[in-house]
């Protein structure tokens, strides 16, 4: 006597916890059964928001943000593994994946229970320019540019301390120095975005101005300090 044992489907998923912005991210889905074989097995996974589909294994295809596989028969006490690859420029969560199959005219299905989060960290860069020489009493303009080649940066703060012996004139955004330090903020800086600010000073006597105390920080402890001092000789 052969006793039919209804399939007990399982579905697991793994992916990297971190990745670089624009780098390939591969997810692995494994479905298995501990009962009878299943026919017409279908596996689906939704591409995470902010993700861009690249490819899928085992003849999987993507349409409308859904990656699908037609896996045929899943034998008794066996498993199947599929992968798909995306890219992303901000932190993503993947939590919408399913598998189903037919057993004696009944549909057996299971939905993945674990969210897979891949963090895309910000990569901040800071540059600064000013003229190498200036005339005494003339306006000297400094330009600071923050760029981001990584994931979304939030709570971005840019600071710069006025050079010793320089007289503040004005700054972009109407910012006024506090104890000779200028501070600009922006709520967020996405991938490949720029945040540019300027300020203007004068110097009334021939002197060399050194501007070396500037930097940018974002939530999460991401910081970049002055990569190079900016030197202007006032003649």
């Amino acid at each position: 006597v052969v006793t039919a044992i209804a399939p007990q489907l399982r579905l697991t998923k793994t992916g990297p916890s971190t990745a670089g912005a624009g780098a390939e991210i591969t997810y692995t889905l494994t479905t298995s059964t501990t009962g009878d074989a299943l026919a017409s097995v279908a596996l689906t996974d939704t591409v995470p928001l902010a993700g861009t589909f690249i490819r899928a294994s085992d003849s999987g295809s993507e349409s409308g943000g859904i990656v699908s596989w037609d896996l045929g028969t899943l034998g008794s006490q066996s498993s199947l593994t599929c992968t798909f690859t995306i890219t992303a420029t901000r932190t993503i969560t993947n939590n919408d994946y399913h598998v189903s199959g037919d057993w004696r005219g009944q549909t057996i299905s299971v939905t993945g229970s674990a969210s897979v989060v891949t963090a895309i960290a910000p990569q901040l860069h800071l540059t600064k320019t000013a003229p190498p020489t200036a005339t005494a009493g003339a306006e000297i303009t400094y330009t600071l540019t923050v760029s981001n080649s990584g994931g979304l940066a939030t709570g971005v703060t840019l600071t710069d301390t006025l050079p010793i012996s320089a007289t503040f004139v004005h700054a972009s955004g109407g910012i006024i120095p506090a104890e000779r330090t200028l501070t600009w903020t922006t709520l967020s800086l996405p991938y490949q975005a720029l945040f540019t600010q300027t300020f203007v000073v004068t110097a009334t006597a021939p002197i060399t101005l050194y501007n070396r105390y500037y930097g940018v920080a974002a939530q999460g402890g991401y910081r970049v300090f002055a990569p190079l001092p900016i030197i202007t000789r006032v003649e």
Side-chain angles (χ1 to χ4, degrees):
V1 176
V2 177
T3 303
I5 302 175
Q8 297 293 318
L9 267 178
R10 293 184 175 88
L11 179 60
T12 62
K13 181 172 182 179
T14 60
S17 58
T18 62
E24 291 192 350
I25 301 166
T26 297
Y27 295 102
T28 300
L29 298 104
T30 301
T31 183
S32 60
T33 179
T34 58
D36 286 351
L38 274 174
S40 303
V41 176
L43 174 64
T44 62
D45 198 332
T46 301
V47 176
L49 292 175
T52 300
F53 176 79
I54 303 297
R55 61 182 173 272
S57 69
D58 303 280
S59 301
S61 61
E62 183 270 339
S63 178
I66 306 295
V67 185
S68 302
W69 293 265
D70 292 322
L71 299 176
T73 298
L74 178 61
S76 175
Q77 308 292 326
S78 63
S79 64
L80 291 171
T81 297
C82 297
T83 65
F84 74 100
T85 301
I86 66 169
T87 60
T89 58
R90 61 186 299 172
T91 296
I92 52 176
T93 300
N94 186 277
N95 58 2
D96 186 13
Y97 48 105
H98 315 269
V99 65
S100 65
D102 178 80
W103 178 69
R104 301 188 173 211
Q106 300 179 41
T107 297
I108 307 294
S109 64
V110 67
T111 296
S113 59
S115 295
V116 180
V117 179
T118 301
I120 313 293
Q123 293 289 329
L124 299 177
H125 311 274
L126 177 60
T127 61
K128 183 173 182 177
T129 60
T133 61
T135 302
E139 291 190 346
I140 303 167
T141 300
Y142 294 90
T143 301
L144 299 102
T145 300
V146 182
S147 59
N148 181 15
S149 62
L152 179 71
T154 58
V156 178
T157 301
L158 173 64
T159 59
D160 198 331
T161 300
L162 299 175
I164 295 173
S165 301
T167 300
F168 175 75
V169 179
H170 59 80
S172 56
I175 299 299
I176 301 298
E179 297 183 354
R180 297 190 63 78
T181 296
L182 296 161
T183 302
W184 297 269
T185 61
T186 184
L187 292 177
S188 62
L189 190 66
Y191 173 64
Q192 292 189 334
L194 300 177
F195 180 54
T196 299
Q197 301 295 337
T198 62
F199 69 95
V200 176
V201 302
T202 60
T204 57
I207 195 171
T208 299
L209 300 178
Y210 292 88
N211 186 271
R212 64 185 68 177
Y213 301 112
Y214 57 100
V216 62
Q219 287 181 355
Y222 303 103
R223 305 176 188 275
V224 177
F225 297 105
L228 290 171
I230 304 299
I231 301 171
T232 300
R233 182 176 180 83
V234 180
E235 301 172 339

